[in-house]
Amino acid sequence: MKEALPILVTNILLAITVGCQSTSSESTKVTTDTTDTGEQYRPVYHFTPPEQWMNDPNGMVFYDGEYHLFYQHYPDSNVWGPMHWGHAVSEDLVHWEHLPIALYPDSLGYIFSGSAVVDDNNLSGLGAEGNPPMVAIFTYHNPLGEDEDRNDYQVQGLVYSNDRGRTWTKYEDNPVIENPGIKDFRDPKVFWHDPDQKWVMILAVDDRVHFYESSNLTDWNYMSEFGENSGSHGGVWECPDLFTLTTDSGEERWVLLLSINPGGPNGGSATQYFVGDFDGKTFTNDNSEDMSLWLDFGKDNYAGVTWSDIPEADGRRIFLGWMSNWQYGQEVPTYAWRSAMTIPRTLHLVETEAGLRVASLPVDELEVLRKNSVALEAITLEGSQDISSKLSQPTSTLELKVDFNLSEATASEVGVKLFNSLNEEIIIGYNLADQEYFVNRSNAGKTDFSNDFPGRFTAERVGDGDTLSMHLFIDVASVELFGDDGTTVMSNIFFPNENFTQFALFAEAGVVTVIGGTIYNLSEQSVIANK
């Protein structure tokens, strides 16, 4: 979501002439220990900007051994403002190197969200011989037109790079798609449709999406629309993505991601998805029109999309989201910087009793963070059992896997608590009667910056069976739950007044059998190249 601009900047927009350029060819690559920086809530292994504001991930593309991550960025404040594209690269999705700002606002407007591809066959004609260009297509947002209450102030622009994304050239005939008179007309996701040998763009348009086609990335023709009567319509649709996934049994379907704000299952912004078919022109939903499937039930995963051009030999569909919520994203108690991304996840299409569902799992590359491991033995659990003492030293960065046997459980709720000496806690659990996962951060520290932040948030259990599997990634200010092999996911941030370095398993009002599990002590040395 793009918030209303809180400061006076529209009068200077047309004076901006820097165009889409980088300030330097040099990068900032350092390793820092967050305990020495005074940035209490700076994550250790989640991507953050070096400073100031960040929201949507943009232009995610793999090229020449590097994962590129661009992102919505305002370098002059820790709240939303004139959007730029920040830029970072990684060889392993874990260690990130900050590069100079890639795209700046210009006379056509701010640089809103979009995507990037590698034009392998130089169909655009923008590359050099033997050197395919990287092409990014994004939304230009003209605040002057917005102030004038026009409905055509968002158009689609194109830039290209012939030096591995280090510098970008603005296409001379921008915009490549004019606005037909629709206020919310943005966030293009472009991909190559091999059966028809053409480029396809999916564009968020108010509360639906439009599909366009092109032979060269610069000339686009409208094809169709989807969504008027499908899914959740509690807010504007944003940041679409479309790709194929295949089940273990070999069934291939198309998956359409759509972020929505507001209208999420626990309030505010969230990401819904549809499973269906795409024939190169039209998307058809497999499910009933009013069914709304959610990629993540947590409060803090929005605007996520997937990387383009992952090598075919890899075959993964890798996702990353903005780990915040527009209800309070500009008020959270961080100041030198604001917002982090989720951990990267692979998406999978799985068969469940309810039908085909998209599961999310942490990428395998994150295993490099593991310093050591401790096994959790099988026990009959009643009440609470502190497992912090199993670690050699206190830590606030942890990966935890634990399985519960529900077949003879008498407990009303089971799960994991993170807490500190100030009696602050966040609870990640499962309610047996309601068959729901939940996260309760009502007493997790600082919450008074927004009435929408504290609370107990729930998620339906998609998996079935007597074994309840919880896989948690815990950083200094976030927890991500992957329940039942990622079929239920909840991502939530928190801000304790003292780090959570104590952890316990619990069974409320009864007993449960803990089948076993593993605690991984994760690196406390930041792997993110923060400034």
Side-chain angles (χ1 to χ4, degrees):
M1 180 67 178
K2 287 75 187 174
E3 294 291 284
L5 188 60
I7 56 177
L8 295 176
V9 297
T10 55
N11 291 335
I12 64 169
L13 173 64
L14 297 179
I16 299 175
T17 59
V18 293
C20 298
Q21 61 185 352
S22 59
T23 57
S24 169
S25 62
E26 297 180 357
S27 62
T28 303
K29 188 173 185 178
V30 297
T31 301
T32 60
D33 185 334
T34 56
T35 60
D36 295 331
T37 65
E39 297 183 308
Q40 181 181 3
Y41 302 118
R42 174 81 76 170
V44 172
Y45 57 87
H46 288 79
F47 182 85
T48 55
E51 58 188 4
Q52 306 294 19
W53 173 262
M54 177 183 76
N55 54 288
D56 306 1
N58 294 156
M60 301 192 325
V61 61
F62 183 86
Y63 181 66
D64 195 21
E66 293 179 324
Y67 296 91
H68 288 260
L69 169 59
F70 302 88
Y71 53 91
Q72 292 286 277
H73 181 45
Y74 184 32
D76 297 324
S77 176
N78 63 7
V79 296
W80 193 94
M83 285 291 97
H84 302 56
W85 270 24
H87 190 194
V89 293
S90 172
E91 295 180 357
D92 64 0
L93 293 168
V94 179
H95 302 83
W96 289 95
E97 177 181 352
H98 283 295
L99 297 178
I101 291 173
L103 304 181
Y104 288 77
D106 62 32
S107 61
L108 293 180
Y110 305 158
I111 312 298
F112 271 17
S113 292
S115 57
V117 295
V118 179
D119 183 11
D120 287 309
N121 297 314
N122 195 24
L123 298 178
S124 64
L126 300 173
E129 185 175 350
N131 183 32
M134 296 173 67
V135 176
I137 299 181
F138 58 91
T139 298
Y140 270 122
H141 175 94
N142 187 333
L144 300 179
E146 183 179 23
D147 288 347
E148 294 168 0
D149 201 28
R150 288 164 31 198
N151 60 5
D152 62 350
Y153 54 82
Q154 293 185 344
V155 297
Q156 313 317 311
L158 182 150
V159 294
Y160 60 94
S161 172
N162 287 302
D163 60 358
R164 300 171 59 242
R166 268 52 182 182
T167 59
W168 294 83
T169 301
K170 182 171 60 175
Y171 182 57
E172 61 182 7
D173 290 328
N174 274 335
V176 295
I177 298 182
E178 297 278 5
N179 190 305
I182 302 172
K183 179 181 177 181
D184 296 305
F185 186 73
R186 57 176 175 260
D187 306 343
K189 181 60 185 280
V190 175
F191 64 93
W192 177 251
H193 189 253
D194 198 59
D196 291 339
Q197 292 289 290
K198 67 182 181 182
W199 296 102
V200 171
M201 177 193 295
I202 178 171
L203 195 66
V205 181
D206 193 20
D207 63 348
R208 63 201 69 177
V209 293
H210 286 183
F211 293 94
Y212 291 78
E213 64 181 353
S214 174
S215 62
N216 57 12
L217 290 169
T218 57
D219 300 295
W220 293 91
N221 297 309
Y222 171 82
M223 294 192 295
S224 66
E225 75 168 45
F226 167 78
E228 180 180 5
N229 299 306
S230 296
S232 176
H233 288 267
V236 66
W237 286 16
E238 298 187 303
C239 302
D241 200 354
L242 183 65
F243 48 84
T244 59
L245 290 177
T246 304
T247 67
D248 288 342
S249 64
E251 182 179 4
E252 181 183 86
R253 305 304 291 156
W254 286 83
V255 174
L256 172 60
L257 302 184
L258 264 307
S259 290
I260 184 171
N261 178 51
N266 280 295
S269 43
T271 300
Q272 62 181 327
Y273 69 90
F274 304 90
V275 178
D277 182 62
F278 179 68
D279 63 4
K281 180 178 180 180
T282 302
F283 180 83
T284 304
N285 185 13
D286 284 349
N287 299 303
S288 62
E289 290 183 343
D290 60 351
M291 179 179 290
S292 184
L293 304 176
W294 300 101
L295 192 67
D296 190 320
F297 282 83
K299 290 281 284 189
D300 299 303
N301 183 358
Y302 187 65
V305 288
T306 65
W307 264 275
S308 300
D309 293 273
I310 298 294
E312 188 174 336
D314 183 318
R316 293 179 296 173
R317 180 58 57 173
I318 305 174
F319 170 96
L320 190 77
W322 176 51
M323 197 161 57
S324 195
N325 190 308
W326 280 114
Q327 288 182 324
Y328 45 74
Q330 298 186 89
E331 286 82 43
V332 295
T334 65
Y335 305 102
W337 56 278
R338 271 216 175 99
S339 302
M341 299 298 183
T342 66
I343 57 172
R345 303 143 182 218
T346 55
L347 302 184
H348 306 266
L349 191 62
V350 298
E351 298 165 330
T352 74
E353 288 188 353
L356 295 177
R357 296 292 184 266
V358 175
S360 304
L361 293 173
V363 295
D364 292 342
E365 286 88 340
L366 291 166
E367 293 178 5
V368 73
L369 297 172
R370 295 172 178 172
K371 293 172 59 178
N372 50 61
S373 64
V374 177
L376 294 175
E377 65 277 5
I379 59 169
T380 299
L381 177 64
E382 182 175 13
S384 179
Q385 181 179 84
D386 192 321
I387 57 175
S388 311
S389 60
K390 294 182 179 294
L391 301 175
S392 58
Q393 61 185 26
T395 182
S396 55
T397 56
L398 199 70
E399 179 187 356
L400 172 62
K401 295 181 178 181
V402 60
D403 294 334
F404 299 93
N405 185 344
L406 303 182
S407 63
E408 297 181 358
T410 62
S412 59
E413 295 181 342
V414 300
V416 179
K417 293 182 181 180
L418 319 180
F419 57 102
N420 59 25
S421 66
L422 303 177
N423 293 320
E424 297 170 341
E425 65 180 7
I426 184 168
I427 306 171
I428 307 98
Y430 178 74
N431 183 286
L432 281 75
D434 296 337
Q435 298 182 31
E436 288 182 335
Y437 284 96
F438 67 89
V439 175
N440 190 337
R441 63 181 183 193
S442 299
N443 186 35
K446 296 182 175 71
T447 63
D448 59 357
F449 52 87
S450 169
N451 291 333
D452 294 311
F453 190 82
R456 175 185 166 115
F457 313 115
T458 61
E460 63 175 322
R461 187 187 184 200
V462 177
D464 54 18
D466 290 333
T467 299
L468 182 82
S469 173
M470 300 178 69
H471 187 181
L472 305 179
F473 273 81
I474 301 159
D475 208 332
V476 294
S478 64
V479 59
E480 291 158 278
L481 163 67
F482 301 87
D484 296 314
D485 296 319
T487 53
T488 299
V489 179
M490 300 187 77
S491 303
N492 290 276
I493 58 177
F494 50 79
F495 302 97
N497 290 291
E498 174 186 281
N499 283 354
F500 290 136
T501 58
Q502 295 171 273
F503 314 95
L505 304 180
F506 73 90
E508 188 74 26
V511 300
V512 69
T513 297
V514 176
I515 299 172
T518 308
I519 308 173
Y520 298 97
N521 195 348
L522 301 184
S523 173
E524 293 183 333
Q525 189 78 6
S526 176
V527 294
I528 312 301
N530 290 314
K531 197 170 181 179

